[in-house]
Amino acid sequence: MKLPIVTVLVAISAILTTLISAQASEQEADKFITDLMNKMTLEEKLGQMNLLSIGSDVTGPIVSEGVDEKIRKGLVGGVFNTLTPQAIRKLQEMAVNETRLKIPLLFGYDVIHGHRTIFPINLGMSCSWDLDLIERTASAAAAEASAEGLNWVFSPMVDTARDPRWGRVMEGSGEDPYLGSEIAKAMVRGYQGDKSSQEKQRKDHVALDKVLACVKHCALYGAAEAGRDYNTVDMSQVRMFNEYMPPYKAAVDAGVASVMTSFNEINGVPATANKWLVDDVLRKKWEFKGFICTDYTAVNEMINHGVGDEAKVAELAINAGIDQDMVGELFLKYGVDLVKSGRVPQAQIDAACRRVLEAKYRLGLFENPYRFIDDERWKEQTMSADKLTLSKEAAIKSMVLLKNDNHTLPLNPKKKVAFVGPFVKDQRNLLGSWCAAGEWQKATSVWQALETKSQNILYAKGCNITDDDALIKRLNPDNAMLSKDEKSPQALLDEAIQVANQADTVVAILGEPFGMSGEASCRSEIGLFENQLNLLKALKKTGKPIVLVLMNGRPLTLKWESANIDSILETWFSGTKSGDAIVDILFGDANPSGKLTMSFPVNTGQIPIYYNAKNTGRPYNEKDKYRSKYLDAPNAPLYAFGHGLSYTTFEYGYIKLSSNILKPGETLTVSITVRNSGSVPGVETVQLYTRDLVGSITRPVKELKGFQKVALNPDETKTVTFKLTPADLKFYNSDIKLVNEAGEYQVFVGGSSDKVKDAKFTLRMD
Ligand code: BGC
């Protein structure tokens, strides 16, 4: 297509104008910040590097004290955990009216899966494989948070995680680096706007309904040994760069404004003191231009790691290139002496202070420190109707139908259904962990949603969430729902059997309390609690068809359940509209379409388990003894990455390749037909994987390279087409260089990582 010359000239001139004005605004910003910094004392500069918490959320050993006084002295750069426009305005006024240089504060918050309106936990959201949806939820959260006066969110959390014992798997996007990277980008776009609007923001400042994002926890936090939070991490650089680093890098490439370092060590050096990570990788290799903060008291915790005393760990962190010290205040306590004694160069402090001020400039806070604080907008945005609708859409799309024998689901509204379990009437657990400023009292329980849907329902609690007193003691007061029922466990069970006997189908809603996942909430066994399993076993004996609806924050071991229960629906903790979404799916008003993003192991002994593993020198072969396998469990998970059923079925054709050779500069087209072979409309997530058969280093047996969601009516067929270029097949070799290597590749397409069609092609680099 030929464009008229005038159009081309107009376009070029528009690009040039944008570039010139962006440059001019950068120069303006630089000059403003330089002038300001010329007036600042060393202590005031260290103040910008001090990030404190005011509020109830304490996730570490220290609580910030005397914050008001420190703000007044210009010794605080930002605060977090403060909510409501009134409270935020009060602190901002203090910073602007009562300090020498009137530098406004940053206001951060853990907006993890929604702010006031809560969306499904991030692991659930990732099971939607819907990047547009994920971006919209982040965008809605940004609009709600910014209307409250917040300007910085500690999200996205993009730690690749392959150990479901680790409680924080609920906050991330599962085990795959490619999907994790796509989601990281979508979330940054949602919070901050896309790249082009971010460019504009350099000139016009961050839009009022956007915030600065903070990618965390850099790096490798999800690889804590034994799935125990804060534990040691140790991994090769090949694994690190191919499997764990990509999502952080993707967020950086998407323009994320800040990075949070992790609690763990990398190559023996805590991330927060790791100059290689912060300076060589983040700043030099990835060209990250924003600011870097620590996690909660991570500087102080390096004393426990055993790398120095208070002054030493402060020195290590500053010299590594950290810009803000979260809660620990050691930069403030030792910074002046460290500079005076020459242990920390003044230039290091200047660079850190400048980066924090740049963020404030970008937010437009120097022009108007109160620009985000607006009571009217707050009222308008908070839990607005569109956000609640989005919350329901997200909940529906994140749920995964793990099993559905004999069409037990959807339920027939004309038949009698017994709803059993301690989660049926529960609201508190629905929001999950890290539910920020969400109010559980506003969440819809399954029972509330049922009352408007069907008259034909019975209820029995069936059991307490757990009868394990030691566990209850550990979890309370985190979870009031754990207080035991006045009725004895036997009386609860008897009631459940009684209602089950009166019903045509039994729906048991069981799972973990929300406090069993999230930070510092790891488990060594990840099955249902004994009393819940006993209830299920007793229900099974009634001979009625049983549906198990799960609420939990991680993959669970479901060996007995999957062998004995007719249908299993994984709903995670799906947020404010959980109840409505679950009931819509149960009664077939919505068709499940979620697909797992973390493997469900058969038992904890299989962990870590992930689809993109290596082949080993002795891959599994059932006839051969000396193979990589267990004697008492299969190698395969119970439910694989990518698995998820629908109320309809999909039939895949054969893979068609545009060529069996791919060369630099070329694109290989991979297509396949998908037919809805069932009787209701449905949505399928078609997944594309490749395997590099021979490499200079060993390569995974499968790697996700693309996915598409297709909506199909009964009997409808669509051709799904993917494009692969050599760039998609690059990997980090043993010199940590991103390379293509010529050779044979397998390509797989299917509806789950373990159910695929395959074909072969050759990558030629000549
Ligand atoms: C968590 C972070 C969180 C921070 C601030 C820490 O304990 O690891 O994810 O952003 O607290 O609340």
Side-chain angles (χ1 to χ4, degrees):
M1 179 182 66
K2 268 195 173 169
L3 290 173
I5 188 81
V6 185
T7 318
V8 174
L9 287 176
V10 170
I12 293 175
S13 107
I15 294 170
L16 282 177
T17 316
T18 316
L19 281 178
I20 291 166
S21 71
Q23 237 175 19
S25 62
E26 239 157 74
Q27 279 166 7
E28 259 170 51
D30 271 359
K31 184 172 171 335
F32 177 87
I33 293 166
T34 306
D35 289 349
L36 178 59
M37 283 182 58
N38 284 340
K39 295 182 212 143
M40 291 172 84
T41 62
L42 175 55
E43 231 193 353
E44 281 165 339
K45 288 177 184 170
L46 289 163
Q48 291 305 307
M49 297 167 70
N50 198 26
L51 172 62
L52 297 183
S53 161
I54 307 187
S56 54
D57 283 349
V58 178
T59 53
I62 298 176
V63 181
S64 305
E65 278 170 358
V67 185
D68 289 8
E69 215 27 57
K70 285 175 193 149
I71 292 176
R72 289 193 177 97
K73 288 189 182 150
L75 299 181
V76 182
V79 297
F80 65 106
N81 284 336
T82 298
L83 288 176
T84 77
Q86 297 75 8
I88 290 175
R89 179 179 286 277
K90 200 171 134 221
L91 293 182
Q92 196 67 302
E93 279 172 352
M94 226 180 254
V96 175
N97 300 336
E98 300 185 44
T99 62
R100 203 174 73 84
L101 293 171
K102 308 183 183 317
I103 301 175
L105 294 167
L106 289 174
F107 289 96
Y109 202 75
D110 284 291
V111 173
I112 308 297
H113 49 105
H115 179 54
R116 294 279 176 185
T117 308
I118 300 300
F119 303 111
I121 58 168
N122 306 76
L123 182 60
M125 282 297 309
S126 69
C127 293
S128 72
W129 297 57
D130 188 331
L131 300 175
D132 170 66
L133 171 74
I134 292 170
E135 181 176 337
R136 284 186 286 130
T137 60
S139 181
E144 253 180 4
S146 64
E148 186 145 358
L150 299 168
N151 47 38
W152 182 26
V153 297
F154 301 141
S155 177
M157 186 280 212
V158 303
D159 305 322
T160 305
R162 292 161 168 184
D163 191 329
R165 291 171 298 182
W166 190 49
R168 300 195 81 166
V169 300
M170 54 80 38
E171 261 180 270
S173 300
E175 71 195 35
D176 184 65
Y178 172 82
L179 181 62
S181 300
E182 292 303 305
I183 292 177
K185 289 189 264 181
M187 290 184 78
V188 173
R189 284 196 300 270
Y191 290 134
Q192 299 190 169
D194 61 18
K195 263 288 181 76
S196 66
S197 70
Q198 286 181 37
E199 274 311 314
K200 241 179 116 247
Q201 288 167 16
R202 285 188 194 286
K203 192 159 107 354
D204 303 335
H205 304 309
V206 168
L208 281 181
D209 57 353
K210 294 289 172 205
V211 288
L212 301 184
C214 180
V215 66
K216 67 189 190 186
H217 307 82
C218 193
L220 324 182
Y221 185 36
E225 281 178 4
R228 211 179 68 220
D229 212 359
Y230 319 120
N231 204 6
T232 307
V233 171
D234 194 5
M235 73 169 68
S236 72
Q237 284 207 16
V238 161
R239 165 163 277 183
M240 196 186 291
F241 281 94
N242 284 310
E243 301 166 35
Y244 282 78
M245 288 299 204
Y248 309 110
K249 179 165 189 306
V252 168
D253 291 343
V256 75
S258 63
V259 173
M260 185 187 293
T261 55
S262 52
F263 288 122
N264 55 279
E265 64 181 67
I266 297 172
N267 213 8
V269 181
T272 299
N274 202 310
K275 195 167 166 48
W276 170 80
L277 171 76
V278 172
D279 211 38
D280 295 356
V281 176
L282 270 164
R283 294 232 166 83
K284 298 203 176 95
K285 231 183 168 129
W286 296 355
E287 300 178 352
F288 173 61
K289 298 278 185 283
F291 69 106
I292 300 177
C293 67
T294 71
D295 203 342
Y296 201 105
T297 56
V299 180
N300 316 55
E301 289 168 31
M302 293 198 290
I303 301 168
N304 285 341
H305 274 285
V307 295
D309 59 9
E310 284 194 345
K312 182 69 188 174
V313 292
E315 173 194 332
L316 288 171
I318 300 174
N319 283 340
I322 301 288
D323 303 316
Q324 266 194 339
D325 174 3
M326 188 191 281
V327 178
E329 301 201 74
L330 293 186
F331 290 3
L332 196 62
K333 189 165 170 192
Y334 293 96
V336 173
D337 284 350
L338 287 170
V339 172
K340 286 197 173 140
S341 63
R343 284 164 67 182
V344 165
Q346 172 75 45
Q348 197 78 37
I349 306 288
D350 287 344
C353 172
R354 174 174 286 276
R355 285 189 283 259
V356 174
L357 295 175
E358 274 168 2
K360 295 182 177 182
Y361 190 94
R362 177 170 170 186
L363 284 164
L365 297 179
F366 290 109
E367 265 181 25
N368 178 4
Y370 311 104
R371 62 189 289 263
F372 292 97
I373 310 169
D374 180 339
D375 285 333
E376 273 314 297
R377 205 160 56 87
W378 188 45
K379 269 188 222 132
E380 222 174 82
Q381 288 290 341
T382 305
M383 300 191 84
S384 55
D386 57 328
K387 291 190 189 66
L388 293 174
T389 307
L390 181 61
S391 175
K392 181 172 168 191
E393 178 190 348
I396 287 173
K397 290 181 173 170
S398 67
M399 293 176 188
V400 185
L401 184 61
L402 296 175
K403 182 183 176 191
N404 193 21
D405 280 1
N406 312 316
H407 300 283
T408 310
L409 285 177
L411 300 169
N412 182 342
K414 294 199 186 103
K415 297 214 167 151
K416 196 154 250 142
V417 186
F419 283 81
V420 176
F423 291 86
V424 176
K425 293 190 172 177
D426 177 32
Q427 288 172 285
R428 174 58 193 96
N429 286 294
L430 302 178
L431 302 192
S433 200
W434 284 116
C435 55
E439 291 167 67
W440 61 262
Q441 296 88 340
K442 294 188 178 159
T444 328
S445 71
V446 174
W447 191 250
Q448 285 163 339
L450 275 170
E451 283 174 333
T452 55
K453 186 76 97 187
S454 169
Q455 303 297 314
N456 243 342
I457 47 175
L458 300 167
Y459 166 74
K461 184 171 173 187
C463 64
N464 296 307
I465 289 184
T466 176
D467 289 331
D468 178 343
D469 291 323
L471 183 66
I472 295 174
K473 212 167 150 210
R474 275 194 183 184
L475 280 170
N476 270 334
D478 234 16
N479 201 330
M481 285 303 299
L482 288 182
S483 16
K484 288 199 203 164
D485 202 277
E486 286 162 10
K487 292 179 192 156
S488 72
Q490 190 58 49
L492 290 172
L493 187 70
D494 291 346
E495 251 174 40
I497 302 307
Q498 210 187 3
V499 299
N501 279 325
Q502 292 167 42
D504 299 300
T505 306
V506 178
V507 175
I509 309 190
L510 301 173
E512 297 176 305
F514 81 95
M516 291 293 282
S517 57
E519 186 171 357
S521 303
C522 304
R523 297 181 64 184
S524 65
E525 295 292 347
I526 55 168
L528 286 181
F529 299 134
E530 205 184 332
N531 66 326
Q532 294 192 26
L533 198 54
N534 287 342
L535 169 66
L536 264 188
K537 288 180 178 169
L539 291 170
K540 168 81 184 168
K541 284 196 191 134
T542 64
K544 306 283 174 164
I546 299 178
V547 176
L548 171 61
V549 172
L550 288 167
M551 292 186 184
N552 48 279
R554 58 160 59 76
L556 299 175
T557 49
L558 300 167
K559 198 172 163 194
W560 184 90
E561 296 84 332
S562 92
N564 292 284
I565 299 297
D566 303 279
S567 294
I568 307 178
L569 179 69
E570 175 57 79
T571 72
W572 313 108
F573 296 118
S574 44
T576 309
K577 300 301 278 179
S578 292
D580 301 286
I582 291 170
V583 168
D584 271 11
I585 288 192
L586 290 180
F587 285 92
D589 297 322
N591 190 351
S593 61
K595 301 271 190 181
L596 294 180
T597 58
M598 257 190 111
S599 312
F600 273 46
V602 171
N603 59 23
T604 40
Q606 284 187 320
I607 298 169
I609 186 163
Y610 47 95
Y611 83 94
N612 41 0
K614 301 290 183 73
N615 201 36
T616 81
R618 295 190 179 192
Y620 178 72
N621 175 337
E622 94 184 300
K623 294 192 195 103
D624 198 345
K625 174 171 164 59
Y626 293 99
R627 293 289 179 148
S628 180
K629 65 167 193 288
Y630 301 105
L631 293 174
D632 57 355
N635 279 16
L638 188 61
Y639 297 114
F641 176 87
H643 170 76
L645 305 173
S646 160
Y647 292 154
T648 190
T649 45
F650 300 102
E651 259 175 34
Y652 283 75
Y654 290 97
I655 295 179
K656 277 198 194 137
L657 300 180
S658 56
S659 163
N660 49 15
I661 290 172
L662 175 63
K663 289 193 205 160
E666 289 180 357
T667 299
L668 181 74
T669 303
V670 182
S671 50
I672 197 160
T673 55
V674 186
R675 186 174 89 89
N676 181 341
S677 48
S679 54
V680 289
V683 173
E684 170 73 327
T685 301
V686 184
Q687 302 153 39
L688 173 84
Y689 300 88
T690 59
R691 176 174 180 186
D692 180 359
L693 286 161
V694 179
S696 62
I697 60 167
T698 59
R699 308 282 293 119
V701 292
K702 267 190 197 110
E703 289 178 282
L704 184 70
K705 296 290 177 186
F707 55 89
Q708 279 178 44
K709 295 189 72 134
V710 276
L712 292 166
N713 286 318
D715 212 28
E716 190 184 5
T717 301
K718 277 186 187 161
T719 301
V720 178
T721 303
F722 295 95
K723 292 193 183 313
L724 272 179
T725 66
D728 299 318
L729 304 173
K730 283 189 171 171
F731 64 95
Y732 288 91
N733 66 11
S734 53
D735 296 326
I736 315 303
K737 293 231 161 65
L738 190 62
V739 293
N740 268 131
E741 283 182 359
E744 238 189 330
Y745 276 78
Q746 266 179 303
V747 56
F748 312 90
V749 183
S752 170
S753 66
D754 63 347
K755 287 187 191 65
V756 286
K757 297 285 171 73
D758 70 305
K760 267 190 187 165
F761 69 91
T762 303
L763 175 67
R764 287 212 342 227
M765 295 308 293
D766 49 65

